[in-house]
């Protein structure tokens, strides 16, 4: 140990990095107190990163330090610098995510989750990450626009998810962002290749518009349903009830004519 310690100082003073790294690795293999082990791993990591062009090796040492001491600030800061490395960005964010969550560093947690979502290949996992961004933004940052944006991206990723849709509606309700919700849902519905799923979206939008007293908008949503299926009885009945309730008799006559034409076509 004494000889290794002397070589450690010698190679560091001479800036002879390759043998310096080998000496650090040899010292790490010894039975070291935790504080000394952390120092050795940190110096190994920074040397690999800054002098030997091995950021992946550096990352492993920073990871091991944070496993021993999650509050270790130098290792965390060093890892944060590796977020700039495109090849290590996702792996680094994965390590930092747990640290940020444990310490309640919500803005940085959102940033790490966004990186993970951006690099995630599996759709279901990406949806879960975006929804978590939404929850953290809403509950911990009280940033409802950011939360709505994240959950909207999750819904675009998987428009079949009823849970994501319900979560988005709830956020829009808390924010009073009904117009924004309408833009998001109509944009999704317009681009769906599944007619039945698109129909469900238009019917949901129409229901929301009716609750808000937006009669013209609700009628336009029902017309979108009728574009998919002119004989959609639920949409026709909903338009009938809508125009009766609002005493829009001319529009109601138009619905009657549609229903009469359909009856004649099927007779």
């Amino acid at each position: 140990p004494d000889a290794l310690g002397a070589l450690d100082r010698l190679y560091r003073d001479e800036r002879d990095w390759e043998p310096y790294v080998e000496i650090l690795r040899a010292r790490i293999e010894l039975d070291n107190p935790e504080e000394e082990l952390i120092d050795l791993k940190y110096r190994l990591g920074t040397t690999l990163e800054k002098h030997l062009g091995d950021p992946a090796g550096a990352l492993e040492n920073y990871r091991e330090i944070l496993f021993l001491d999650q509050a270790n600030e130098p290792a965390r800061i060093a890892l944060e610098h590796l977020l700039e490395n495109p090849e290590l960005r996702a792996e680094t964010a994965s390590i930092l995510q747990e640290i940020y969550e444990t310490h309640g560093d919500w803005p940085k947690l959102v940033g790490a989750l966004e990186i993970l979502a951006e690099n995630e290949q599996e759709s279901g996992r990406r949806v879960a990450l975006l929804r978590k961004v939404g929850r953290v933004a809403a509950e911990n940052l009280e940033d409802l626009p950011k939360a709505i944006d994240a959950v909207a991206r999750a819904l675009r990723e998987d428009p079949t998810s009823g849970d994501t849709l319900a979560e988005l509606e709830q956020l829009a309700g808390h924010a009073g962002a009904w117009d924004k919700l309408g833009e998001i849902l109509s944009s999704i519905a317009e681009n769906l290749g599944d007619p039945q799923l698109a129909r469900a979206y238009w019917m949901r939008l129409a229901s929301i518009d009716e609750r808000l007293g937006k009669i013209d908008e609700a009628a336009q949503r029902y017309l979108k349903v009728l574009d998919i299926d002119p004989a959609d009885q639920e949409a026709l009945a909903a338009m009938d009830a809508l125009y009766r309730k609002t005493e829009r008799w001319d529009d109601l006559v138009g619905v009657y004519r549609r229903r009469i034409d359909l009856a004649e076509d099927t007779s």
Side-chain angles (χ1 to χ4, degrees), residues 99-204:
I99 293 167
Y100 294 150
E101 192 159 8
T102 300
H103 292 88
D105 195 338
W106 308 120
K108 287 185 176 180
L109 175 59
V110 164
L113 291 169
E114 288 280 15
I115 291 170
L116 291 172
E118 177 186 330
N119 288 273
E120 178 59 54
Q121 300 301 310
E122 199 275 311
S123 179
R125 176 65 181 153
R126 192 158 54 248
V127 167
L129 287 165
L130 289 170
R131 289 181 66 187
K132 186 169 183 177
V133 170
R135 287 194 297 276
V136 173
E139 296 170 10
N140 303 110
L141 296 178
E142 298 183 355
D143 188 342
L144 290 175
K146 181 181 283 291
I148 289 170
D149 173 73
V151 178
R153 282 183 282 142
L155 188 61
R156 289 190 182 99
E157 179 73 28
D158 179 13
T160 67
S161 173
D163 289 343
T164 306
L165 177 56
E167 191 173 347
L168 182 60
E169 286 187 11
Q170 185 178 42
L171 287 169
H174 290 322
W178 296 111
D179 289 342
K180 181 65 175 178
L181 178 65
E183 290 173 15
I184 294 165
L185 297 188
S186 60
S187 172
I188 291 172
E190 291 280 9
N191 291 286
L192 287 171
D194 180 344
Q196 288 307 305
L197 185 58
R199 176 196 181 276
Y201 268 81
W202 292 123
M203 291 296 289
R204 189 128 183 180

